[in-house]
Amino acid sequence: MQSLTDPELVELVHAQPVEAFRLIYDRYWEPLFNIALKRLQDAEEARDHVQEVFVTLWNQRERLQPRESLLPYLQVMLRNRIFNAYTHNEVKLRYLVEAQWQLAFMHNNNVSQQLTLKELQQIISNAIDQLPPRMREIFLLNHEEQLSPAEIAELLSLSVQTVKNQLHRATERLRGDIGAHLDPTLLLMILPVITAG
């Protein structure tokens, strides 16, 4: 049974679900855990996400289709779980942005600058929230998870050019939304951050 191909394992899922699921789990738990650990830098959280991927796989086993390799399919499930966790965890979602803003202001720490930093973080959060859902997803995968346009295209089954177009439009929208709330000097300070990635 250990020598079964992934398409054969999927076929087995429909005949002997418990045995097939155990084989899939044994084959892919460690690779998925390593991916999650690399992204999250937290072993316990990585384990939780991988376990949830397998719970979802079990719940959806009757709809599972044969495929050359199950790993890309499971990776997409894992990445979506991690992405959704970021979008529902305000601290982690904004961590990268906040760190970058703090870098921009770290050489000048007077009270008015600190107030501006807090206001800026809120403006950025609101601007990101206003992006259309798919555009926001692509922007956050690029800036939050540091995925390249090619990786995002593969993950979301889009062309690389579509991803690049969406990133460009997101950047333009964020510039406009953020620029409407800031004086030009401050906007110039943060433009490199908005366009990074």
mmCIF file of all heavy atoms in Angstrom, residues 138-183:
data_model
loop_
_atom_site.group_PDB
_atom_site.id
_atom_site.type_symbol
_atom_site.label_atom_id
_atom_site.label_comp_id
_atom_site.label_asym_id
_atom_site.label_seq_id
_atom_site.Cartn_x
_atom_site.Cartn_y
_atom_site.Cartn_z
ATOM 1 N N ILE A 138 -4.563 38.964 -3.232
ATOM 2 C CA ILE A 138 -3.304 38.961 -3.976
ATOM 3 C C ILE A 138 -2.294 39.903 -3.316
ATOM 4 O O ILE A 138 -1.122 39.553 -3.134
ATOM 5 C CB ILE A 138 -3.556 39.349 -5.446
ATOM 6 C CG1 ILE A 138 -4.311 38.215 -6.153
ATOM 7 C CG2 ILE A 138 -2.245 39.653 -6.177
ATOM 8 C CD1 ILE A 138 -4.814 38.562 -7.541
ATOM 9 N N PHE A 139 -2.753 41.089 -2.931
ATOM 10 C CA PHE A 139 -1.865 42.065 -2.291
ATOM 11 C C PHE A 139 -1.277 41.503 -0.997
ATOM 12 O O PHE A 139 -0.077 41.610 -0.736
ATOM 13 C CB PHE A 139 -2.630 43.364 -2.004
ATOM 14 C CG PHE A 139 -1.798 44.414 -1.325
ATOM 15 C CD1 PHE A 139 -0.959 45.230 -2.064
ATOM 16 C CD2 PHE A 139 -1.845 44.574 0.053
ATOM 17 C CE1 PHE A 139 -0.175 46.195 -1.438
ATOM 18 C CE2 PHE A 139 -1.060 45.531 0.683
ATOM 19 C CZ PHE A 139 -0.226 46.345 -0.069
ATOM 20 N N LEU A 140 -2.113 40.875 -0.165
ATOM 21 C CA LEU A 140 -1.642 40.349 1.113
ATOM 22 C C LEU A 140 -0.751 39.131 0.937
ATOM 23 O O LEU A 140 0.207 38.934 1.689
ATOM 24 C CB LEU A 140 -2.827 40.024 2.025
ATOM 25 C CG LEU A 140 -3.572 41.252 2.551
ATOM 26 C CD1 LEU A 140 -4.822 40.847 3.302
ATOM 27 C CD2 LEU A 140 -2.673 42.101 3.438
ATOM 28 N N LEU A 141 -1.053 38.282 -0.061
ATOM 29 C CA LEU A 141 -0.165 37.150 -0.331
ATOM 30 C C LEU A 141 1.219 37.650 -0.730
ATOM 31 O O LEU A 141 2.235 37.064 -0.360
ATOM 32 C CB LEU A 141 -0.747 36.269 -1.445
ATOM 33 C CG LEU A 141 -1.919 35.366 -1.046
ATOM 34 C CD1 LEU A 141 -2.548 34.739 -2.274
ATOM 35 C CD2 LEU A 141 -1.474 34.294 -0.058
ATOM 36 N N ASN A 142 1.257 38.745 -1.476
ATOM 37 C CA ASN A 142 2.524 39.314 -1.910
ATOM 38 C C ASN A 142 3.245 40.017 -0.758
ATOM 39 O O ASN A 142 4.443 39.802 -0.538
ATOM 40 C CB ASN A 142 2.273 40.286 -3.067
ATOM 41 C CG ASN A 142 3.550 40.915 -3.595
ATOM 42 O OD1 ASN A 142 3.739 42.115 -3.490
ATOM 43 N ND2 ASN A 142 4.426 40.111 -4.157
ATOM 44 N N HIS A 143 2.532 40.842 0.008
ATOM 45 C CA HIS A 143 3.169 41.641 1.048
ATOM 46 C C HIS A 143 3.249 40.936 2.400
ATOM 47 O O HIS A 143 4.210 41.128 3.136
ATOM 48 C CB HIS A 143 2.439 42.980 1.214
ATOM 49 C CG HIS A 143 2.752 43.938 0.120
ATOM 50 N ND1 HIS A 143 2.305 43.763 -1.175
ATOM 51 C CD2 HIS A 143 3.491 45.067 0.104
ATOM 52 C CE1 HIS A 143 2.750 44.765 -1.919
ATOM 53 N NE2 HIS A 143 3.471 45.566 -1.172
ATOM 54 N N GLU A 144 2.238 40.148 2.726
ATOM 55 C CA GLU A 144 2.204 39.486 4.032
ATOM 56 C C GLU A 144 2.976 38.164 4.000
ATOM 57 O O GLU A 144 3.808 37.899 4.847
ATOM 58 C CB GLU A 144 0.751 39.235 4.456
ATOM 59 C CG GLU A 144 0.614 38.625 5.830
ATOM 60 C CD GLU A 144 0.924 39.603 6.951
ATOM 61 O OE1 GLU A 144 0.843 40.820 6.755
ATOM 62 O OE2 GLU A 144 1.262 39.122 8.035
ATOM 63 N N GLU A 145 2.696 37.339 2.976
ATOM 64 C CA GLU A 145 3.352 36.034 2.905
ATOM 65 C C GLU A 145 4.592 36.050 2.029
ATOM 66 O O GLU A 145 5.271 35.034 1.885
ATOM 67 C CB GLU A 145 2.363 34.980 2.389
ATOM 68 C CG GLU A 145 1.239 34.698 3.363
ATOM 69 C CD GLU A 145 0.583 33.364 3.109
ATOM 70 O OE1 GLU A 145 1.316 32.383 2.872
ATOM 71 O OE2 GLU A 145 -0.642 33.306 3.146
ATOM 72 N N GLN A 146 4.875 37.219 1.420
ATOM 73 C CA GLN A 146 6.076 37.375 0.592
ATOM 74 C C GLN A 146 6.113 36.408 -0.582
ATOM 75 O O GLN A 146 7.181 35.935 -0.985
ATOM 76 C CB GLN A 146 7.344 37.198 1.458
ATOM 77 C CG GLN A 146 7.445 38.175 2.618
ATOM 78 C CD GLN A 146 7.559 39.620 2.156
ATOM 79 O OE1 GLN A 146 8.484 39.962 1.451
ATOM 80 N NE2 GLN A 146 6.605 40.451 2.518
ATOM 81 N N LEU A 147 4.955 36.086 -1.149
ATOM 82 C CA LEU A 147 4.911 35.231 -2.332
ATOM 83 C C LEU A 147 5.165 36.067 -3.578
ATOM 84 O O LEU A 147 4.722 37.210 -3.674
ATOM 85 C CB LEU A 147 3.554 34.535 -2.455
ATOM 86 C CG LEU A 147 3.150 33.567 -1.334
ATOM 87 C CD1 LEU A 147 1.836 32.881 -1.681
ATOM 88 C CD2 LEU A 147 4.225 32.526 -1.083
ATOM 89 N N SER A 148 5.863 35.482 -4.532
ATOM 90 C CA SER A 148 6.115 36.166 -5.798
ATOM 91 C C SER A 148 4.852 36.117 -6.654
ATOM 92 O O SER A 148 3.957 35.285 -6.421
ATOM 93 C CB SER A 148 7.258 35.473 -6.540
ATOM 94 O OG SER A 148 6.831 34.193 -6.988
ATOM 95 N N PRO A 149 4.769 36.984 -7.685
ATOM 96 C CA PRO A 149 3.612 36.897 -8.594
ATOM 97 C C PRO A 149 3.436 35.500 -9.191
ATOM 98 O O PRO A 149 2.315 35.023 -9.335
ATOM 99 C CB PRO A 149 3.942 37.943 -9.663
ATOM 100 C CG PRO A 149 4.736 38.974 -8.930
ATOM 101 C CD PRO A 149 5.588 38.181 -7.972
ATOM 102 N N ALA A 150 4.549 34.827 -9.524
ATOM 103 C CA ALA A 150 4.453 33.478 -10.091
ATOM 104 C C ALA A 150 3.853 32.498 -9.080
ATOM 105 O O ALA A 150 3.011 31.659 -9.427
ATOM 106 C CB ALA A 150 5.825 32.997 -10.552
ATOM 107 N N GLU A 151 4.283 32.609 -7.810
ATOM 108 C CA GLU A 151 3.749 31.713 -6.771
ATOM 109 C C GLU A 151 2.262 31.989 -6.529
ATOM 110 O O GLU A 151 1.470 31.055 -6.345
ATOM 111 C CB GLU A 151 4.532 31.899 -5.471
ATOM 112 C CG GLU A 151 5.956 31.373 -5.533
ATOM 113 C CD GLU A 151 6.773 31.738 -4.307
ATOM 114 O OE1 GLU A 151 6.663 32.900 -3.828
ATOM 115 O OE2 GLU A 151 7.521 30.878 -3.818
ATOM 116 N N ILE A 152 1.891 33.258 -6.529
ATOM 117 C CA ILE A 152 0.479 33.611 -6.331
ATOM 118 C C ILE A 152 -0.352 33.100 -7.493
ATOM 119 O O ILE A 152 -1.451 32.566 -7.309
ATOM 120 C CB ILE A 152 0.319 35.132 -6.177
ATOM 121 C CG1 ILE A 152 1.038 35.618 -4.917
ATOM 122 C CG2 ILE A 152 -1.162 35.524 -6.103
ATOM 123 C CD1 ILE A 152 1.174 37.126 -4.816
ATOM 124 N N ALA A 153 0.171 33.249 -8.712
ATOM 125 C CA ALA A 153 -0.549 32.779 -9.901
ATOM 126 C C ALA A 153 -0.814 31.284 -9.813
ATOM 127 O O ALA A 153 -1.923 30.813 -10.087
ATOM 128 C CB ALA A 153 0.260 33.106 -11.162
ATOM 129 N N GLU A 154 0.197 30.529 -9.371
ATOM 130 C CA GLU A 154 0.031 29.074 -9.247
ATOM 131 C C GLU A 154 -0.973 28.743 -8.145
ATOM 132 O O GLU A 154 -1.851 27.890 -8.325
ATOM 133 C CB GLU A 154 1.383 28.430 -8.933
ATOM 134 C CG GLU A 154 1.313 26.915 -8.818
ATOM 135 C CD GLU A 154 2.664 26.294 -8.474
ATOM 136 O OE1 GLU A 154 3.676 27.024 -8.442
ATOM 137 O OE2 GLU A 154 2.690 25.082 -8.219
ATOM 138 N N LEU A 155 -0.872 29.434 -7.029
ATOM 139 C CA LEU A 155 -1.748 29.177 -5.886
ATOM 140 C C LEU A 155 -3.216 29.440 -6.226
ATOM 141 O O LEU A 155 -4.100 28.674 -5.846
ATOM 142 C CB LEU A 155 -1.323 30.051 -4.708
ATOM 143 C CG LEU A 155 -2.167 29.988 -3.439
ATOM 144 C CD1 LEU A 155 -2.106 28.611 -2.819
ATOM 145 C CD2 LEU A 155 -1.705 31.038 -2.444
ATOM 146 N N LEU A 156 -3.459 30.529 -6.961
ATOM 147 C CA LEU A 156 -4.839 30.948 -7.231
ATOM 148 C C LEU A 156 -5.327 30.564 -8.619
ATOM 149 O O LEU A 156 -6.420 30.962 -9.024
ATOM 150 C CB LEU A 156 -4.951 32.467 -7.047
ATOM 151 C CG LEU A 156 -4.601 33.016 -5.660
ATOM 152 C CD1 LEU A 156 -4.740 34.523 -5.626
ATOM 153 C CD2 LEU A 156 -5.466 32.375 -4.584
ATOM 154 N N SER A 157 -4.507 29.804 -9.360
ATOM 155 C CA SER A 157 -4.864 29.378 -10.723
ATOM 156 C C SER A 157 -5.155 30.578 -11.625
ATOM 157 O O SER A 157 -6.167 30.626 -12.323
ATOM 158 C CB SER A 157 -6.067 28.422 -10.699
ATOM 159 O OG SER A 157 -5.774 27.283 -9.942
ATOM 160 N N LEU A 158 -4.258 31.559 -11.593
ATOM 161 C CA LEU A 158 -4.362 32.745 -12.428
ATOM 162 C C LEU A 158 -3.101 32.856 -13.277
ATOM 163 O O LEU A 158 -2.104 32.191 -13.008
ATOM 164 C CB LEU A 158 -4.484 34.005 -11.559
ATOM 165 C CG LEU A 158 -5.679 34.100 -10.623
ATOM 166 C CD1 LEU A 158 -5.514 35.289 -9.677
ATOM 167 C CD2 LEU A 158 -6.973 34.244 -11.415
ATOM 168 N N SER A 159 -3.139 33.704 -14.295
ATOM 169 C CA SER A 159 -1.918 33.961 -15.054
ATOM 170 C C SER A 159 -1.038 34.914 -14.252
ATOM 171 O O SER A 159 -1.534 35.703 -13.443
ATOM 172 C CB SER A 159 -2.248 34.570 -16.418
ATOM 173 O OG SER A 159 -2.667 35.912 -16.267
ATOM 174 N N VAL A 160 0.269 34.838 -14.494
ATOM 175 C CA VAL A 160 1.206 35.723 -13.806
ATOM 176 C C VAL A 160 0.885 37.176 -14.145
ATOM 177 O O VAL A 160 0.943 38.048 -13.272
ATOM 178 C CB VAL A 160 2.662 35.376 -14.191
ATOM 179 C CG1 VAL A 160 3.637 36.375 -13.561
ATOM 180 C CG2 VAL A 160 3.009 33.963 -13.737
ATOM 181 N N GLN A 161 0.508 37.439 -15.403
ATOM 182 C CA GLN A 161 0.200 38.808 -15.803
ATOM 183 C C GLN A 161 -1.021 39.339 -15.056
ATOM 184 O O GLN A 161 -1.047 40.511 -14.659
ATOM 185 C CB GLN A 161 -0.044 38.895 -17.317
ATOM 186 C CG GLN A 161 -0.122 40.319 -17.831
ATOM 187 C CD GLN A 161 1.123 41.137 -17.500
ATOM 188 O OE1 GLN A 161 2.241 40.709 -17.760
ATOM 189 N NE2 GLN A 161 0.939 42.315 -16.915
ATOM 190 N N THR A 162 -2.022 38.481 -14.836
ATOM 191 C CA THR A 162 -3.208 38.902 -14.076
ATOM 192 C C THR A 162 -2.810 39.299 -12.655
ATOM 193 O O THR A 162 -3.267 40.316 -12.130
ATOM 194 C CB THR A 162 -4.255 37.769 -14.029
ATOM 195 O OG1 THR A 162 -4.704 37.507 -15.358
ATOM 196 C CG2 THR A 162 -5.441 38.142 -13.150
ATOM 197 N N VAL A 163 -1.941 38.499 -12.047
ATOM 198 C CA VAL A 163 -1.478 38.808 -10.688
ATOM 199 C C VAL A 163 -0.726 40.137 -10.677
ATOM 200 O O VAL A 163 -0.961 40.999 -9.819
ATOM 201 C CB VAL A 163 -0.588 37.674 -10.140
ATOM 202 C CG1 VAL A 163 0.076 38.094 -8.825
ATOM 203 C CG2 VAL A 163 -1.403 36.409 -9.937
ATOM 204 N N LYS A 164 0.169 40.332 -11.649
ATOM 205 C CA LYS A 164 0.926 41.587 -11.719
ATOM 206 C C LYS A 164 -0.011 42.775 -11.911
ATOM 207 O O LYS A 164 0.172 43.828 -11.291
ATOM 208 C CB LYS A 164 1.943 41.518 -12.857
ATOM 209 C CG LYS A 164 3.118 40.602 -12.553
ATOM 210 C CD LYS A 164 4.100 40.589 -13.721
ATOM 211 C CE LYS A 164 5.309 39.731 -13.396
ATOM 212 N NZ LYS A 164 6.261 39.664 -14.528
ATOM 213 N N ASN A 165 -1.026 42.599 -12.758
ATOM 214 C CA ASN A 165 -1.996 43.680 -12.973
ATOM 215 C C ASN A 165 -2.739 44.013 -11.685
ATOM 216 O O ASN A 165 -2.954 45.188 -11.360
ATOM 217 C CB ASN A 165 -3.001 43.298 -14.064
ATOM 218 C CG ASN A 165 -2.367 43.243 -15.444
ATOM 219 O OD1 ASN A 165 -1.273 43.763 -15.662
ATOM 220 N ND2 ASN A 165 -3.034 42.599 -16.374
ATOM 221 N N GLN A 166 -3.139 42.980 -10.957
ATOM 222 C CA GLN A 166 -3.867 43.190 -9.707
ATOM 223 C C GLN A 166 -2.987 43.878 -8.663
ATOM 224 O O GLN A 166 -3.447 44.754 -7.929
ATOM 225 C CB GLN A 166 -4.386 41.854 -9.162
ATOM 226 C CG GLN A 166 -5.528 41.255 -9.961
ATOM 227 C CD GLN A 166 -6.817 42.036 -9.746
ATOM 228 O OE1 GLN A 166 -7.324 42.139 -8.643
ATOM 229 N NE2 GLN A 166 -7.358 42.577 -10.825
ATOM 230 N N LEU A 167 -1.726 43.476 -8.600
ATOM 231 C CA LEU A 167 -0.796 44.122 -7.662
ATOM 232 C C LEU A 167 -0.596 45.590 -8.027
ATOM 233 O O LEU A 167 -0.561 46.452 -7.146
ATOM 234 C CB LEU A 167 0.554 43.389 -7.659
ATOM 235 C CG LEU A 167 0.575 42.050 -6.924
ATOM 236 C CD1 LEU A 167 1.898 41.331 -7.177
ATOM 237 C CD2 LEU A 167 0.345 42.231 -5.429
ATOM 238 N N HIS A 168 -0.470 45.868 -9.324
ATOM 239 C CA HIS A 168 -0.297 47.251 -9.773
ATOM 240 C C HIS A 168 -1.530 48.086 -9.410
ATOM 241 O O HIS A 168 -1.412 49.196 -8.873
ATOM 242 C CB HIS A 168 -0.052 47.291 -11.282
ATOM 243 C CG HIS A 168 0.047 48.681 -11.833
ATOM 244 N ND1 HIS A 168 1.156 49.485 -11.622
ATOM 245 C CD2 HIS A 168 -0.828 49.426 -12.555
ATOM 246 C CE1 HIS A 168 0.959 50.650 -12.202
ATOM 247 N NE2 HIS A 168 -0.234 50.647 -12.783
ATOM 248 N N ARG A 169 -2.716 47.524 -9.671
ATOM 249 C CA ARG A 169 -3.958 48.253 -9.364
ATOM 250 C C ARG A 169 -4.102 48.454 -7.858
ATOM 251 O O ARG A 169 -4.560 49.508 -7.405
ATOM 252 C CB ARG A 169 -5.167 47.500 -9.923
ATOM 253 C CG ARG A 169 -5.243 47.538 -11.439
ATOM 254 C CD ARG A 169 -6.578 47.002 -11.937
ATOM 255 N NE ARG A 169 -6.538 46.824 -13.372
ATOM 256 C CZ ARG A 169 -6.524 45.648 -13.999
ATOM 257 N NH1 ARG A 169 -6.568 44.529 -13.306
ATOM 258 N NH2 ARG A 169 -6.487 45.578 -15.316
ATOM 259 N N ALA A 170 -3.748 47.429 -7.083
ATOM 260 C CA ALA A 170 -3.827 47.560 -5.619
ATOM 261 C C ALA A 170 -2.915 48.673 -5.137
ATOM 262 O O ALA A 170 -3.304 49.499 -4.301
ATOM 263 C CB ALA A 170 -3.441 46.232 -4.953
ATOM 264 N N THR A 171 -1.702 48.716 -5.679
ATOM 265 C CA THR A 171 -0.750 49.758 -5.298
ATOM 266 C C THR A 171 -1.294 51.141 -5.638
ATOM 267 O O THR A 171 -1.226 52.076 -4.825
ATOM 268 C CB THR A 171 0.603 49.526 -6.000
ATOM 269 O OG1 THR A 171 1.131 48.262 -5.581
ATOM 270 C CG2 THR A 171 1.596 50.616 -5.641
ATOM 271 N N GLU A 172 -1.851 51.269 -6.836
ATOM 272 C CA GLU A 172 -2.402 52.559 -7.246
ATOM 273 C C GLU A 172 -3.557 52.978 -6.347
ATOM 274 O O GLU A 172 -3.665 54.143 -5.947
ATOM 275 C CB GLU A 172 -2.871 52.489 -8.713
ATOM 276 C CG GLU A 172 -1.740 52.366 -9.720
ATOM 277 C CD GLU A 172 -0.762 53.528 -9.645
ATOM 278 O OE1 GLU A 172 -1.216 54.683 -9.670
ATOM 279 O OE2 GLU A 172 0.450 53.282 -9.544
ATOM 280 N N ARG A 173 -4.422 52.030 -6.020
ATOM 281 C CA ARG A 173 -5.570 52.350 -5.159
ATOM 282 C C ARG A 173 -5.105 52.745 -3.759
ATOM 283 O O ARG A 173 -5.618 53.683 -3.155
ATOM 284 C CB ARG A 173 -6.536 51.165 -5.089
ATOM 285 C CG ARG A 173 -7.303 50.958 -6.383
ATOM 286 C CD ARG A 173 -8.293 49.829 -6.262
ATOM 287 N NE ARG A 173 -9.383 50.169 -5.365
ATOM 288 C CZ ARG A 173 -10.630 49.777 -5.534
ATOM 289 N NH1 ARG A 173 -10.959 49.052 -6.580
ATOM 290 N NH2 ARG A 173 -11.558 50.102 -4.668
ATOM 291 N N LEU A 174 -4.126 52.005 -3.236
ATOM 292 C CA LEU A 174 -3.619 52.322 -1.904
ATOM 293 C C LEU A 174 -2.945 53.691 -1.895
ATOM 294 O O LEU A 174 -3.120 54.468 -0.960
ATOM 295 C CB LEU A 174 -2.646 51.240 -1.430
ATOM 296 C CG LEU A 174 -3.284 49.897 -1.073
ATOM 297 C CD1 LEU A 174 -2.212 48.862 -0.765
ATOM 298 C CD2 LEU A 174 -4.247 50.028 0.098
ATOM 299 N N ARG A 175 -2.175 53.974 -2.926
ATOM 300 C CA ARG A 175 -1.555 55.300 -3.018
ATOM 301 C C ARG A 175 -2.614 56.397 -2.980
ATOM 302 O O ARG A 175 -2.470 57.389 -2.274
ATOM 303 C CB ARG A 175 -0.776 55.425 -4.327
ATOM 304 C CG ARG A 175 0.578 54.778 -4.335
ATOM 305 C CD ARG A 175 1.214 54.981 -5.696
ATOM 306 N NE ARG A 175 2.529 54.395 -5.773
ATOM 307 C CZ ARG A 175 3.223 54.296 -6.899
ATOM 308 N NH1 ARG A 175 2.717 54.740 -8.033
ATOM 309 N NH2 ARG A 175 4.419 53.754 -6.900
ATOM 310 N N GLY A 176 -3.674 56.186 -3.770
ATOM 311 C CA GLY A 176 -4.740 57.185 -3.813
ATOM 312 C C GLY A 176 -5.453 57.328 -2.491
ATOM 313 O O GLY A 176 -5.652 58.442 -1.987
ATOM 314 N N ASP A 177 -5.836 56.189 -1.900
ATOM 315 C CA ASP A 177 -6.584 56.224 -0.638
ATOM 316 C C ASP A 177 -5.744 56.799 0.496
ATOM 317 O O ASP A 177 -6.225 57.586 1.308
ATOM 318 C CB ASP A 177 -7.055 54.816 -0.262
ATOM 319 C CG ASP A 177 -8.150 54.307 -1.181
ATOM 320 O OD1 ASP A 177 -8.663 55.107 -1.996
ATOM 321 O OD2 ASP A 177 -8.478 53.107 -1.116
ATOM 322 N N ILE A 178 -4.484 56.358 0.544
ATOM 323 C CA ILE A 178 -3.615 56.834 1.622
ATOM 324 C C ILE A 178 -3.249 58.293 1.386
ATOM 325 O O ILE A 178 -3.243 59.111 2.312
ATOM 326 C CB ILE A 178 -2.354 55.950 1.718
ATOM 327 C CG1 ILE A 178 -2.756 54.530 2.156
ATOM 328 C CG2 ILE A 178 -1.347 56.535 2.710
ATOM 329 C CD1 ILE A 178 -1.681 53.496 1.931
ATOM 330 N N GLY A 179 -2.949 58.640 0.128
ATOM 331 C CA GLY A 179 -2.558 60.001 -0.206
ATOM 332 C C GLY A 179 -3.632 61.021 0.113
ATOM 333 O O GLY A 179 -3.333 62.175 0.437
ATOM 334 N N ALA A 180 -4.898 60.591 0.057
ATOM 335 C CA ALA A 180 -5.995 61.507 0.349
ATOM 336 C C ALA A 180 -6.015 61.925 1.818
ATOM 337 O O ALA A 180 -6.631 62.914 2.186
ATOM 338 C CB ALA A 180 -7.329 60.851 -0.011
ATOM 339 N N HIS A 181 -5.317 61.163 2.684
ATOM 340 C CA HIS A 181 -5.325 61.438 4.120
ATOM 341 C C HIS A 181 -4.007 61.998 4.642
ATOM 342 O O HIS A 181 -3.902 62.304 5.833
ATOM 343 C CB HIS A 181 -5.642 60.157 4.900
ATOM 344 C CG HIS A 181 -7.016 59.624 4.636
ATOM 345 N ND1 HIS A 181 -7.287 58.751 3.609
ATOM 346 C CD2 HIS A 181 -8.195 59.856 5.252
ATOM 347 C CE1 HIS A 181 -8.576 58.461 3.607
ATOM 348 N NE2 HIS A 181 -9.147 59.115 4.593
ATOM 349 N N LEU A 182 -2.997 62.082 3.778
ATOM 350 C CA LEU A 182 -1.676 62.476 4.261
ATOM 351 C C LEU A 182 -1.159 63.699 3.526
ATOM 352 O O LEU A 182 -1.521 63.943 2.384
ATOM 353 C CB LEU A 182 -0.672 61.332 4.037
ATOM 354 C CG LEU A 182 -0.966 60.000 4.725
ATOM 355 C CD1 LEU A 182 0.114 58.997 4.360
ATOM 356 C CD2 LEU A 182 -1.045 60.165 6.229
ATOM 357 N N ASP A 183 -0.260 64.412 4.195
ATOM 358 C CA ASP A 183 0.403 65.499 3.483
ATOM 359 C C ASP A 183 1.457 64.882 2.557
ATOM 360 O O ASP A 183 1.918 63.772 2.789
ATOM 361 C CB ASP A 183 1.034 66.496 4.459
ATOM 362 C CG ASP A 183 2.170 65.885 5.263
ATOM 363 O OD1 ASP A 183 3.232 65.634 4.671
ATOM 364 O OD2 ASP A 183 1.985 65.661 6.478
#
